């Protein structure tokens, strides 16, 4: 029954992997406190700021002392609405399992050896241990300034931190979702995610073939993976998919076109080009109607994994020319580019894309001579 509850809870919170409980409290921070007492009772401050469900659950779980220890904390406080969004039956069952409840609550308490100003100095990404012993991943997406005390966006496992509420030596950050302790656990990998979802079996096949060809290339992290559904592959013209699987080089290009370096949650994606592993760039478009990456619409976003994040798309990502292809295009003298360098199906690099990407007048002249 407990296993069923855990799986159900994690499905509601986007993704899941095998759950292993750690009942040790903060073994990595077993040092004597060098900080003065909190200027205000932390639980009182959390309650006064409206997080009443969070506090009630802390009390129910018997974690008052844990959340009142004399050290600087970062508290990721789910709003009342975040808890209300959990299926009532799952939440009711969760409340009956005091150990699971404690683990989930302790995952929202981040501990620091030094004052919490450390959090605002994060440059891009920082994984930090929680009181549970599992890591939470902070990402900062900024346009200016060294701190996220600006209008820029900071996330915890992809969930935006709404604002900062200083409380003594601690800081409370409201979030609109209850975090999953297994989001960035070592076993929650891209391969595990793909194998757990039958709708991604074709992309899994691509991943496993390429993984066998160049295993070391895919251990890099963090990274963002755009995963097309099986329906996206089946929508390709007849014979195209067979052609791709028949050519290892095409498989490598296909996979590399769907992976970018860095953890780009939806909150961190902005309009403009994004360089992918193939060396090409894909156009990102963010609008009120949604997000597209390389003309592929994101239909499910922010699936946290240990390597980074996954976004599910309804079609294959289309990229512009790679750096090597752009160099090769310079040598074109009397033929159309697409005739000399046929594009991979689904990854067409048209003359229009190429010309619009270059500002060099000499280059444009040489392309025009090629018949563009």
């Amino acid at each position: 029954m407990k296993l069923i509850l855990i799986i159900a809870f994690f499905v509601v919170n986007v993704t899941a992997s095998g759950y292993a409980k750690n009942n040790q409290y903060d073994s990595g921070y077993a040092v004597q406190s060098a900080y003065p007492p909190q200027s205000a009772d932390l639980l009182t401050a959390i309650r006064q700021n409206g997080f009443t469900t969070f506090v009630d659950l802390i009390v129910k779980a018997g974690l008052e002392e844990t959340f009142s220890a004399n050290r600087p904390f970062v508290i990721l406080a789910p709003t009342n609405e975040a808890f209300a969004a959990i299926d009532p039956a799952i939440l009711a069952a969760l409340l009956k399992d005091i150990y699971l409840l404690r683990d989930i609550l302790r995952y929202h308490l981040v501990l620091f050896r030094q004052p919490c100003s450390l959090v605002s100095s994060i440059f891009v990404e920082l994984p930090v241990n929680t009181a549970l012993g599992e890591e939470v991943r902070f990402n900062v997406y900024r346009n200016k300034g060294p701190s996220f005390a600006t209008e820029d966006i900071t996330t915890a496992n992809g969930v935006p931190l709404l604002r900062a509420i200083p409380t003594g030596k601690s800081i409370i950050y409201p979030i609109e979702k209850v975090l999953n302790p297994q989001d960035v656990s070592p076993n929650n990998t891209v391969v595990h995610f793909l194998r757990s979802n039958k709708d991604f079996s074709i992309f899994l096949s691509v991943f496993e073939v390429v993984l066998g060809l160049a295993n070391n290339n895919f251990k890099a992290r963090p990274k963002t993976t755009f995963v097309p559904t099986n329906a996206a592959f089946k929508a390709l013209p007849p014979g195209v998919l067979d052609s791709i699987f028949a050519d290892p080089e095409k498989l490598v290009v296909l996979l590399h076109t769907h992976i970018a370096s860095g953890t780009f949650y939806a909150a961190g994606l902005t309009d403009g080009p994004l360089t992918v592993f193939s060396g090409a760039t894909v156009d990102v478009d963010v609008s009120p109607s949604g997000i597209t990456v390389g003309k592929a619409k994101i239909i499910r976003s922010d699936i946290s994994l240990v390597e980074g994040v996954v976004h599910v798309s309804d079609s294959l990502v289309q990229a512009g020319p790679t750096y090597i292809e752009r160099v090769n295009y310079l040598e074109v003298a009397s033929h159309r580019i697409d005739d000399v360098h046929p594009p991979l199906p689904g990854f067409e690099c048209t003359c229009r894309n190429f010309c619009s990407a270059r500002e060099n007048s000499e280059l444009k002249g040489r392309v025009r001579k090629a018949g563009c």
Side-chain angles (χ1 to χ4, degrees):
M1 176 63 186
K2 181 173 181 178
L3 178 60
I4 295 175
L5 166 62
I6 292 170
I7 293 174
F9 177 78
F10 288 161
V11 167
V12 169
N13 284 275
V14 177
T15 186
S17 64
Y19 190 85
K21 245 183 354 182
N22 180 350
N23 286 322
Q24 275 192 320
Y25 169 68
D26 187 23
S27 59
Y29 291 85
V31 294
Q32 291 188 348
S33 175
Y35 305 101
Q38 300 276 4
S39 60
D41 178 75
L42 188 55
L43 288 182
T44 299
I46 297 173
R47 184 182 292 278
Q48 288 177 343
N49 279 279
F51 308 103
T52 54
T53 302
F54 189 39
V55 175
D56 290 343
L57 292 177
I58 291 171
V59 174
K60 179 178 178 61
L63 293 176
E64 301 99 311
E65 184 176 348
T66 300
F67 277 79
S68 301
N70 184 26
R71 61 184 65 190
F73 289 140
V74 166
I75 302 92
L76 303 172
T79 61
N80 293 348
E81 292 76 12
F83 285 104
I86 301 175
D87 183 274
I90 295 175
L91 183 59
L94 174 64
L95 296 178
K96 295 180 181 179
D97 188 333
I98 195 68
Y99 296 106
L100 179 57
L101 178 61
R102 286 174 180 171
D103 285 354
I104 292 172
L105 294 174
R106 290 191 298 157
Y107 187 67
H108 292 75
L109 182 65
V110 182
L111 311 170
F112 286 93
R113 294 181 185 272
Q114 52 187 302
C116 297
S117 58
L118 170 65
V119 181
S120 62
S121 67
I122 298 171
F123 179 61
V124 175
E125 177 169 323
L126 180 68
V128 181
N129 274 352
T130 64
L132 177 60
E134 300 285 352
E135 288 186 349
V136 63
R137 176 191 295 137
F138 288 104
N139 287 89
V140 182
Y141 305 105
R142 61 167 66 85
N143 294 318
K144 59 183 178 179
S147 164
F148 63 67
T150 65
E151 295 182 357
D152 299 312
I153 298 173
T154 300
T155 62
N157 290 2
V159 181
L161 308 187
L162 302 181
R163 64 184 187 278
I165 305 173
T167 304
K169 291 289 184 179
S170 298
I171 302 179
I172 303 169
Y173 289 105
I175 54 176
E176 294 182 327
K177 179 183 174 183
V178 179
L179 300 181
N180 180 348
Q182 290 297 300
D183 274 349
V184 295
S185 69
N187 294 327
N188 197 27
T189 64
V190 173
V191 171
H192 174 85
F193 168 75
L194 296 175
R195 287 175 178 169
S196 302
N197 295 269
K198 61 181 181 180
D199 197 33
F200 308 130
S201 60
I202 297 177
F203 190 76
L204 172 62
S205 297
V206 175
F207 203 98
E208 289 181 327
V209 170
V210 177
L211 199 66
L213 295 172
N215 188 30
N216 290 333
N217 288 349
F218 299 94
K219 292 182 179 179
R221 61 182 69 171
K223 59 192 175 190
T224 300
T225 306
F226 303 100
V227 177
T229 61
N230 286 351
F233 283 99
K234 292 176 181 178
L236 292 172
V240 170
L241 189 57
D242 291 337
S243 172
I244 292 175
F245 271 95
D247 188 336
E249 185 176 344
K250 289 182 179 181
L251 282 175
V252 171
V253 172
L254 186 153
L255 182 59
H256 280 183
T257 302
H258 288 78
I259 304 176
S261 179
T263 305
F264 291 96
Y265 287 100
L269 289 171
T270 57
D271 289 333
L274 175 66
T275 301
V276 291
F277 275 15
S278 67
T281 58
V282 297
D283 291 327
V284 178
D285 181 71
V286 180
S287 69
S289 61
I291 299 173
T292 61
V293 177
K295 299 182 180 180
K297 183 175 179 61
I298 301 302
I299 57 177
R300 182 179 169 195
S301 63
D302 294 346
I303 303 168
S304 291
L305 303 170
V306 65
E307 301 102 327
V309 64
V310 158
H311 303 291
V312 178
S313 64
D314 67 350
S315 62
L316 275 65
V317 172
Q318 299 182 41
T322 66
Y323 172 77
I324 293 177
E325 287 171 328
R326 291 196 296 267
V327 171
N328 289 337
Y329 290 160
L330 292 176
E331 305 304 320
V332 176
S334 60
H335 302 284
R336 292 184 58 84
I337 290 175
D338 286 350
D339 293 336
V340 179
H341 301 281
L344 296 179
F347 302 94
E348 287 77 3
C349 301
T350 64
C351 298
R352 177 184 174 187
N353 288 340
F354 174 61
C355 293
S356 64
R358 306 300 298 175
E359 295 298 327
N360 186 288
S361 58
E362 178 183 356
L363 174 60
K364 289 183 178 179
R366 298 180 69 175
V367 172
R368 280 195 292 271
K369 290 180 182 178
C372 295

